[in-house]
Amino acid sequence: MSRHQGSAMPIPEPLRPQPRSATSMARHKATERPGPDDFPPGPVAETPSRRLWSARRIPAALTALVVLFCAGMLLFDVVRVRSGHEAATWRTGLADELTNRPIDDVWVVTGAAGVAALGLWLILLALTPGMRRLLPLRVPADRGGRTRAVLDRDGAAQLLRDVAMRIPGISRARVRVRRRRVKVRVDVRFRDPREVKEELVTAIRNDQRDRLALAHPPRLTVRAQHMP
């Protein structure tokens, strides 16, 4: 055996990773920065959403067309008269009728009433929001000025109808949603109709508060009738 072979030293084995204890794991987790999912969700403040205002495109377009037509015809006739032609027959006839007919004439009163009704209708359209089939919902308070949420009446009725059909004993449900009232009529095949009605009222009120989130919850009317 040579000198180098007699002085050879054994190579140590690599160290195996030791399992981390529960204390060290807890210490490591405590030093980590918590994320947004580590905190329990808290209550969110809500505010009613404002109603959407209708654009009134059809009434505005019809009014603009009528005014434009009348003003255009009158301007055209005035230009013809200024250029040396005679006035149109419709303008002279209208001037004669307004001059000769008394104030209490039937046609004068009828025309004035129609014009007044049209003016009141236009004022009503300008001052009211419209969109009566859309129900405003509650939105988070921090987004109350930027976000508007609405729900269609048919969609709200469908959601409440599904709630009613999930209650045992109900075979048929009819729901009508209005701005200020919700009418529910159900047919009960078995069970006591009074118990079904109480359960249905509780379920609908909970659904209105949690799922629908209406800004102004309408009044609820429930009728349950027993069907043989």
Side-chain angles (χ1 to χ4, degrees):
M1 179 179 295
S2 64
R3 183 178 178 180
H4 295 285
Q5 292 178 350
S7 60
M9 298 181 62
I11 300 176
E13 297 181 359
L15 297 177
R16 297 180 179 178
Q18 299 294 330
R20 300 170 61 182
S21 60
T23 304
S24 61
M25 293 179 63
R27 187 183 299 111
H28 178 71
K29 185 176 181 180
T31 56
E32 292 180 352
R33 181 174 297 178
D37 297 336
D38 296 336
F39 299 96
V44 179
E46 294 180 344
T47 181
S49 174
R50 293 181 296 175
R51 289 185 59 184
L52 296 179
W53 281 70
S54 175
R56 314 288 191 187
R57 293 183 177 88
I58 296 179
L62 293 178
T63 304
L65 289 177
V66 171
V67 173
L68 180 62
F69 177 77
C70 296
M73 292 292 294
L74 181 61
L75 180 61
F76 177 76
D77 191 65
V78 170
V79 172
R80 288 183 70 255
V81 172
R82 292 296 182 179
S83 62
H85 297 80
E86 295 182 356
T89 306
W90 65 268
R91 190 157 70 96
T92 56
L94 179 61
D96 293 341
E97 290 292 337
L98 294 178
T99 303
N100 298 326
R101 285 184 179 274
I103 299 297
D104 57 351
D105 187 76
V106 177
W107 291 105
V108 175
V109 174
T110 303
V115 173
L118 179 62
L120 292 177
W121 180 62
L122 294 176
I123 293 175
L124 182 65
L125 292 180
L127 298 180
T128 55
M131 298 289 187
R132 297 178 62 88
R133 296 194 61 82
L134 299 180
L135 304 175
L137 306 180
R138 298 191 305 268
V139 297
D142 56 346
R143 300 182 181 180
R146 304 187 303 269
T147 304
R148 296 181 181 180
V150 293
L151 178 63
D152 185 73
R153 289 184 186 177
D154 295 337
Q158 183 63 39
L159 290 175
L160 297 180
R161 188 179 298 109
D162 295 340
V163 173
M165 294 304 298
R166 287 197 298 265
I167 297 179
I170 296 180
S171 60
R172 183 184 178 186
R174 297 175 297 277
V175 181
R176 296 183 62 183
V177 178
R178 301 298 182 188
R179 287 187 56 198
R180 303 183 183 277
R181 184 180 296 274
V182 175
K183 295 182 179 181
V184 182
R185 300 181 61 183
V186 296
D187 297 338
V188 181
R189 292 293 181 180
F190 58 92
R191 298 181 60 189
D192 188 359
R194 290 175 297 180
E195 296 180 358
V196 173
K197 180 179 179 180
E198 294 177 359
E199 187 174 350
L200 178 59
V201 169
T202 303
I204 289 180
R205 287 178 177 174
N206 294 336
D207 198 80
Q208 285 182 349
R209 183 182 66 253
D210 299 335
R211 295 181 59 189
L212 298 183
L214 297 178
H216 306 286
R219 291 178 294 179
L220 179 61
T221 302
V222 179
R223 294 183 58 183
Q225 56 182 357
H226 180 73
M227 299 296 295

